[in-house]
Amino acid sequence: MADKRTPSADPRRAPNIEDVARLAGVSTATVSRSLNSSGRVREATRKIVETAARELGYTPNFGGQALASNRTNTVGAIIPTMENAIFARAIQALQETLAEHKVTLLVATSQYRPDREEAQIRTLLARGVDGVVLIGNRRAPSAYALLNARGIPFVLLWSAPANSPFVTIGFDNFGAAHDLTTRILEKGHRRIGMISGLTADNDRAFDRVQGVSQALADHGLSLSPHDLVECRYSLKAGENAAMQLLGATQRPTAIICGNDVLAAGALRAARASGLTVPDDMSVIGFDDIELATAVFPPLATVRVPHRRMGVAAGEHLLRWMVQGERPPSLTLPTEFVERASLGVAK
Amino acid sequence: MADKRTPSADPRRAPNIEDVARLAGVSTATVSRSLNSSGRVREATRKIVETAARELGYTPNFGGQALASNRTNTVGAIIPTMENAIFARAIQALQETLAEHKVTLLVATSQYRPDREEAQIRTLLARGVDGVVLIGNRRAPSAYALLNARGIPFVLLWSAPANSPFVTIGFDNFGAAHDLTTRILEKGHRRIGMISGLTADNDRAFDRVQGVSQALADHGLSLSPHDLVECRYSLKAGENAAMQLLGATQRPTAIICGNDVLAAGALRAARASGLTVPDDMSVIGFDDIELATAVFPPLATVRVPHRRMGVAAGEHLLRWMVQGERPPSLTLPTEFVERASLGVAK
DNA sequence: TTGAAAGCGCTAACAT
DNA sequence: ATGTTAGCGCTTTCAA
């Protein structure tokens, strides 16, 4: 067996900072400074070090770096699911933003379950992430306690509560839902049904229901329990929910859906029921993912700033992590997208 | 400033293994053994240690653990994009499998670009991942060299080449495409067009084109350059490609698409052209993602074992990482799913 | 501008 | 079964 004290005894062993220092004829401190552009190093020295590092194929050992610097240059994000394109796209934007600053992203999913989310927060913290991104703002105090105990930077995406004690980067779910409902009412619809995601642990879904309710109330209408169905965010669930609404004695002339996937399900239900959209009934989605224009008729929906949220989350977090100053919250605009699935009421 | 030698001088400082050892009245080695269930520890001792750890809210420091053990319990996966549900789902399955063994997943995307993929491989290796998952088997030797230089376990998903020097977990793209084409021919179609993803750096896309070609050849037909359009995997690109095929003097009676997203685009093109599917033309997809049944008519397609690939990738990798023995390759079956978008030729 | 050296927190070999 | 202790590779004072 090779003598441990003999340098480069094992050729398979990855080169370490000492190997680089030796080859460059400098100290390990100088190598570290050169490669991290921290502290001053003469340009000529840096060149020499870089050459040596390249020659050896040196990559800093992650564990050593993390241990010594107490930073991992890693950010963790927990989203409900990767299967909804809206989150996938936001995550992609986040990752690209972080990558520009040599920070990598650890992604975990909660399946919309608070207990899983909290477990994932624990995992990420154990992984030593330097920052965390979460979706929504409603969760158990214990979850926030975990984050706060470490004093770790974290931002909440997808909602924009008025006086949050946390940094939020999102949009006004209530307002967007209120707005779209108003537009539907302007088309003459009066019997309106809604298919929502499960609101229990989902403030976005909850706020959207509230926005619809309020808009109806503003017009002297109301969203009765019969007109509202909650279900999982899946095509099949949306279809079933729509079937239920369509089975009512007075079926709605317009169905507002918590997202585009549910709306696609509602379209399928309409077709199965022999109803034509929008002539017999209108269907409205939320998110404006690609699916919205893949179905027929294309879905009227609300464009959610997923990409901008992802980018902003990355920028805010980086600022916070590096400069140590807590960034402000940010509210982004949404836009109603009118398409053929919304027609005038007959 | 607090004296560094005074233990727990800074109450904000995270508790370390020494704090736990002190509280439990044992050595740090025993704490490590208790918490990692490595080596023997008396049950009573373990209890005491666990209590102490819980009381202090102790979480092992990731950097320290990684540095000392030379393992990060992290696996990295590089997929083309998170925006295609097929990859998202496979990744989800992979993550769940790994999570059962306390291994976390680092996800990166390549956007179907070989250079980006190689850069991501570098990043993951720098991150000290213990294993890697890649999609497809065709890439530059330099990419494989990176992996091999570290002797790190890695598996390739989505394809099943006959004599790969690597561990692959996938399915027979050629065979699946050959099979679906044969079924289309059985429906009487003779003028067949194909919309494929870009085949240059994508062995799956390439193999599918070959499978279609071969099946046609088997019936004395051929896939001429005019009948084949390559484009990005997007709805819009699929629509444009279909438009091109439909503009031919003799338009195809069936269009085979490289995936379901392209097929959804083709459906849109058919509608825009005033053609009814499947009466005027058939459209066939690949993947069987949710989108396939969200569109109308629902897409005939090939069911790809995305979930099984994700699970198997996790299991094989874990086995390899822990037991050190390289697992065998695995070929999973696909299934043709007949749906309304495929009709008999008129 | 550079070097020497003290840790960072943990694991694992070895000793008991 | 448990303790002692030597590193793992890196960053960061502190000196020079």
Side-chain angles (χ1 to χ4, degrees), chain B residues 19 25 48 60 76 84 92 117 136 170 182 192-193 214 216 228 235 245 248 271 291 309 320 325 331 334:
Chain B
D19 297 326
I48 294 171
N84 187 325
Q92 188 112 5
E117 187 190 49
T182 304
I192 294 177
Q214 186 59 54
L216 291 176
L228 173 64
L235 200 64
L245 290 176
R271 181 170 285 118
L291 174 63
M309 286 192 287
W320 198 349
E325 66 178 35
T331 301
T334 57

Side-chain angles (χ1 to χ4, degrees), chain A residues 29-38 41-42 45-46 49-50:
Chain A
T30 299
V31 174
S32 175
R33 281 189 284 252
S34 297
L35 267 30
N36 297 311
S37 41
S38 65
V41 180
R42 211 163 18 126
T45 309
R46 161 182 278 114
V49 170
E50 274 174 0

Side-chain angles (χ1 to χ4, degrees), chain B residues 178-190 192 215-216 219 221 254 336 338 342-345:
Chain B
H178 188 285
D179 177 53
L180 82 80
T181 306
T182 304
R183 287 163 182 273
I184 292 165
L185 291 167
E186 285 169 357
K187 298 277 186 187
H189 293 278
R190 285 301 175 269
I192 294 177
L216 291 176
H219 285 71
L221 300 169
F336 182 74
E338 190 155 357
L342 171 59
V344 295

